[in-house]
Amino acid sequence: MNKDSSIALLAQRLRAEARLLPAGERLPSSRTLTERYRVSPVTVSRALALLAAEGVVVTRPGSGTFVAERRAAGRPADFGWQSVVLGEGQGGVEGMARLLTPPPADAIALSGGYLPLAFQPLRALAAASARAARRPEAWQVPPLAGLPELRAWFAAPVGAEPSDVLVAGGGQAALWTTLRALLRPGEPLLMESPTYHGAIIAARAAGLHPVPVPMDGRGVRPDLLAEAFARTGARAFYCQPAFHNPTGAVLAPERRARVLEAARTAGAFVIEDDFARYLAFSTPPPPLAAADPDGTVVHLASLTKPTAPSLRIAGITARGPVAERLRACQLVESYYPARPLQETALELVTSPAWPRHLRAVSAELRARRDALVRALAVHLPEVELVSLPEGGMHLWVRLPDGTDDTALADAARAHGVIVGPGRPYFPAEPPAPHLRLNYNCTPTAEDLAEGVRRLARALRSRPSGTSS
């Protein structure tokens, strides 16, 4: 169990205990709670702080922790008026929240976007953070576009100048800033279909209209992309040319120039989400932006996925006037990413530990991919593996016709395995049922086979005749 879940569990137990005691009653000492629940003093302290913030207990220095006075019951609050004022909600956000919520302790996670704890570079991050924090300037206002050395590091794979890079607060923030800078509410945004569901949600939250462009095993179809530009008048196309989420596809070499040409002909931008560049099993393909001298491509790259969830640092590379628009947009929305995080990221990626970490992660993810493929062949031969990715964290599988992927994901959760239904990854109606299965989340590779066995039981236990 991770530390956060231990704190939440202890707080839940102490909350229940406090409800049975009269107001003013003293809770057991921290030492007693530590021994009773077999947790660390830090866990006890943070659990009590959580209850104090909720008003369940009050802490009196030198005296202990006491049950707080209970508020007198009043009439229930009426929030109905807010529904009228707020209008239509942001659909799909619940799915993103589920991805960021730790699974139940007894469940096997085959869905999620981060490395397991054992493969996060925690020691290297701790050392990098300590070195960064000792510098007094680390706590001051950074250069508004980011630390120059960090901008140079993000610029190198693209063949850009450091001045072309804006450091952002993680991949999702970089995407949000880019959408807001390039497009106005009500405009269309072309997107691969399927695509990263966080991009679909961000586009809709920005008031944009996602327009699907079909893809196959070699990436987006350039002929249909050109047709979509002509039909919609769209000014931007969002894509993931390398180790696409969710399919794992890599844009075929012969299609790269045609994608750029379609955008140039339409006078439109290409938003290249290069999220898995540092999760490749071998040398990744060059970014589309590396073949673009005219500023057609806005390139996004993040450090979060190959490191740890809270190292939320990304780079946006853009050439021409759009770069100034991006900087202005970020300045209005968030000023700049926290300088200590920027300093920590710079320390990490310029240390000898960084290439060693990437090699270890690459080897482990490849082994896990192979283990998951073997488990599917043995325990779920009725599903079809769409492609065998050479990077990234997931497989994309087609389910038997007539399967309701969302209902299957719910049934799988009941069987103790967490999977991602395919439906949210389509900007419009899905043509067939799919699942996204991650091989990066479980504590060990051995858990993958058990997860597939549980998924197989869920699939075969569904009522006959269930359809999508």
Side-chain angles (χ1 to χ4, degrees), residues 164-176:
D164 296 328
V165 175
L166 172 67
V167 177
Q172 193 70 17
L175 175 58
W176 178 254

Side-chain angles (χ1 to χ4, degrees), residues 206-242:
L208 307 176
H209 298 297
V211 177
V213 182
M215 56 181 298
D216 56 28
R218 301 187 313 175
V220 70
R221 290 182 50 184
D223 56 333
L224 297 181
L225 176 63
E227 181 182 327
F229 272 127
R231 179 172 54 82
T232 65
R235 297 194 298 127
F237 167 53
Y238 169 82
C239 62
Q240 303 164 91

Side-chain angles (χ1 to χ4, degrees), residues 400-428:
D401 288 342
T403 305
D404 185 326
D405 55 343
T406 302
L408 176 58
D410 291 339
R413 179 179 287 269
H415 281 76
V417 59
I418 312 300
V419 298
R423 188 177 301 270
Y425 294 88
F426 289 90

Side-chain angles (χ1 to χ4, degrees), residues 26 52 79 92 156 163 208 213 262 270 298 347 352 387 395-396 398 414 458:
R26 187 178 185 275
F79 299 124
S163 58
L208 307 176
V213 182
V270 173
V298 176
E347 286 281 353
S387 65
L395 300 178
W396 183 240
R398 177 168 175 163

Side-chain angles (χ1 to χ4, degrees), residues 336-416:
Y336 45 79
R339 183 162 182 165
L341 272 185
Q342 293 191 51
E343 298 275 5
T344 297
L346 180 60
E347 286 281 353
L348 176 67
V349 299
T350 56
S351 73
W354 178 244
R356 291 198 300 269
H357 167 68
L358 293 185
R359 287 194 296 270
V361 166
S362 173
E364 177 65 16
L365 289 179
R366 181 194 287 270
R368 285 168 173 248
R369 178 205 64 180
D370 294 344
L372 184 54
V373 169
R374 288 193 298 271
L376 289 170
V378 172
H379 303 294
L380 265 177
E382 58 263 61
V383 307
E384 176 190 350
L385 181 62
V386 174
S387 65
L388 187 68
E390 289 299 318
M393 297 177 163
H394 50 263
L395 300 178
W396 183 240
V397 300
R398 177 168 175 163
L399 297 168
D401 288 342
T403 305
D404 185 326
D405 55 343
T406 302
L408 176 58
D410 291 339
R413 179 179 287 269
H415 281 76

Side-chain angles (χ1 to χ4, degrees), residues 11-30:
Q12 180 181 353
R13 290 172 174 172
L14 295 180
R15 193 181 293 112
E17 185 176 325
R19 290 195 184 104
L20 300 176
L21 299 174
E25 183 79 8
R26 187 178 185 275
L27 266 61
S29 68
S30 294

